[in-house]
Amino acid sequence: GVWLWPVSKPSSGAATMPQATSQSIPVRRGVAVLGLRNNSGRADAAWLSTAISEMLATELGAGGRIRVIPGAEVARVKADLGLGEPDTLSGDNLQKIRKRLDVETLVLGSYALVGEPDSLLRVDLRLLDAATGRELTTSSKSGTETQLSDLVSRTGAPIRQHLGLGDLTSIEAVALEASIPSNRDAVRYYTEGIAKLRSLDAAAAVESLSKAVSSDNKHPLIHAALSEAYSTLGNEARAKEEASRAVALSEKLGPDQKLQIKAGSHKAAKEWGKAVEAEKSLFESFPDNIEYGLNLANSQISAGRTKDALVTIEALRRLPARIS
């Protein structure tokens, strides 16, 4: 959360946010991937829900054309509402999710894994109007577990098309590929690790993410997540070390992911001024992203720039109401 100080005018040297009116702030369509139900009846397939959701959310968000809700925020809201991995939603829960996540559309579905060792995986997705629950489009594809990335991309194609996103550019395709660990075990341990981080079990997250590093030690997002887990545990030296590795490996990621990793590295090193600059760039690029604004305000407070933080909070308050 953000601590609020009494409102005062920014000093002449304070960084100011763009003075856009609420009507001129570009507000992108909000989409949340709620997760997928495991219809396999297999505990060893549970990790696929997070893996498929993360891959799909990353692909939908490529290029920044729509506002995809971060998986951590989706997980918090689902936990608050006592939801697991729903493939259907009641009217009451639908409206609660719509308002809490501030979105117009929802993606949910299910998957089933059959056979060993190269298991056949079927993925079913549904795109819903968050206001009415009306089904907008569906997609079902099958493939092998070892071809998970390609399967998610094929299954998500009709969702992208319905949302008007079009095909990925060559640059976006490279960034998307760079955001996915290089092998099945790395994907599994990474997604298990971030799921444990979201459930506030940082020690278990370190265990899973360390296994992910062993499977793919050149993936930036694994190191970034491991840095976050170490930071939560108070191990500042390891947090800083992993954050530095994430920055060094982040060249092929998209610009927003690179800035997030850069900001995380500065935070791990307690370089609050540099963290502010990275997060300011993110928020200025996507002024409708409340998470980016709150992260910036928190870093400004840590840097001792409380007046600047109030300017950022005021920019957030000027955002137009999206969901009534």
Side-chain angles (χ1 to χ4, degrees), residues 14-16 45 70 106 135 139-140 143 184 200 204 212 271 279 285 295 309 323:
T16 57
L106 302 168
E135 193 170 85
S139 179
S140 299
R184 175 194 176 279
L200 306 180
E271 298 170 343
E279 291 180 330
S285 297
N295 287 341
I323 302 298

Side-chain angles (χ1 to χ4, degrees), residues 265-296:
S265 178
H266 291 315
K267 289 178 181 179
K270 309 300 182 185
E271 298 170 343
W272 296 110
K274 293 180 180 179
V276 165
E277 291 309 308
E279 291 180 330
K280 183 181 177 186
S281 294
L282 275 171
F283 189 42
E284 288 179 341
S285 297
F286 302 101
D288 64 339
N289 191 310
I290 293 175
E291 182 187 30
Y292 289 167
L294 291 175
N295 287 341
L296 171 58

Side-chain angles (χ1 to χ4, degrees), residues 30 46-48 50 53 59 65 111 119 162 170 186 244 273 285 288 296:
W47 65 276
L48 286 164
T50 303
S53 298
E59 183 163 341
R65 300 177 187 87
Y111 64 93
S119 302
H162 190 90
S170 58
S244 296
S285 297
D288 64 339
L296 171 58

Side-chain angles (χ1 to χ4, degrees), residues 213 217-227 242-243 245-246 249:
V213 168
N217 66 359
K218 295 184 178 180
H219 194 270
L221 298 182
I222 296 175
H223 289 288
L226 189 53
S227 173
E242 293 297 333
R245 289 176 182 171
L249 295 167

